[in-house]
Amino acid sequence: MAQLSSLIPLVRERCGGVLDQMARDQLGRAYQKFCYESRFLARTQEIEKGQSGELNIDDDHVFVSVDFVLDANGSELKSSDDYLVSSNGTVTVISTSPKVRVFYHIAPQFLLPNDFDADNTIVNRWADAIADGAASTLLMMPNTAWTDLAKSDYFKRRFTDGYRDAFQVAIEALDEQRPSQTRVFY
């Protein structure tokens, strides 16, 4: 797992003079928003009939949403008709399927500890985007030597482009596992 503190030099390139702790805090917030918006931290879990439907959530993470649920035959179930999802990440299966496979997303908690282990793929592939997100917030701080609203807006757009790119990658990976459904036209 990667440490977010390894991205501090990238933040300093964008926002000179910032203290390490300030950069670390904003990197944590940028990483959290990146993961939430991109839905890149996807997980899969099988739940058998009679089991509690609590989804496994990594330490220092929270449940975001269920993308889709497949029954034992690989058919996609319908939310509210075949299963229910609570806000804390518990899936209640209503259908008669003996086992279901749940595809869901998690994101880091809002306040992360300093020794937080971030996802390697995200940190390695979108390091610049996460640093852009941290820098965009730092550059908006009033009465500092590095305050620059125009640069802040520029880095915010780059950060948004970064998590949109990650969202596309995540959706394409999930679509490979989702069964294609035939449409019936009348």
Side-chain angles (χ1 to χ4, degrees):
M1 297 305 250
Q3 293 289 320
L4 291 175
S5 59
S6 66
L7 302 179
I8 290 175
L10 293 174
V11 175
R12 284 186 179 267
E13 286 176 12
R14 291 155 175 77
C15 184
V18 69
L19 300 173
D20 283 354
Q21 188 59 43
M22 295 171 81
R24 191 176 291 118
D25 290 344
Q26 293 309 318
L27 280 167
R29 289 189 177 106
Y31 177 77
Q32 191 271 344
K33 181 170 176 137
F34 186 94
C35 292
Y36 187 84
E37 295 293 336
S38 70
R39 298 180 181 241
F40 194 81
L41 296 178
R43 301 291 187 261
T44 305
Q45 182 175 333
E46 286 191 4
I47 300 173
E48 294 188 21
K49 193 171 188 173
Q51 282 184 331
S52 76
E54 291 183 29
L55 298 174
N56 297 327
I57 310 297
D58 299 354
D59 292 337
D60 296 322
H61 287 75
V62 294
F63 170 75
V64 176
S65 66
V66 169
D67 194 39
F68 60 94
V69 177
L70 302 179
D71 65 8
N73 299 326
S75 300
E76 188 172 346
L77 300 177
K78 294 188 187 308
S79 179
S80 299
D81 291 341
D82 299 321
Y83 66 93
L84 301 171
V85 180
S86 69
S87 61
N88 65 348
T90 303
V91 176
T92 306
V93 180
I94 301 170
S95 75
T96 59
S97 181
K99 152 170 53 170
V100 296
R101 192 167 182 191
V102 182
F103 294 81
Y104 62 102
H105 301 92
I106 61 172
Q109 296 173 350
F110 183 68
L111 295 175
L112 298 174
N114 284 338
D115 60 343
F116 177 76
D117 289 328
D119 184 74
N120 280 336
T121 305
I122 292 174
V123 172
N124 292 333
R125 188 166 178 179
W126 292 287
D128 285 324
I130 295 169
D132 290 341
S136 72
T137 305
L138 288 165
L139 289 165
M140 287 192 315
M141 294 179 79
N143 302 325
T144 61
W146 57 81
T147 301
D148 188 340
L149 298 179
K151 280 175 69 175
S152 172
D153 190 44
Y154 169 74
F155 286 126
K156 186 174 183 176
R157 284 192 306 271
R158 287 182 42 153
F159 176 62
T160 303
D161 290 343
Y163 68 68
R164 284 180 180 168
D165 179 49
F167 179 79
Q168 283 302 118
V169 170
I171 292 299
E172 288 170 8
L174 236 83
D175 282 347
E176 291 175 6
Q177 299 182 26
R178 180 179 244 153
S180 60
Q181 294 186 355
T182 58
R183 292 189 167 194
V184 178
F185 294 98
Y186 295 98

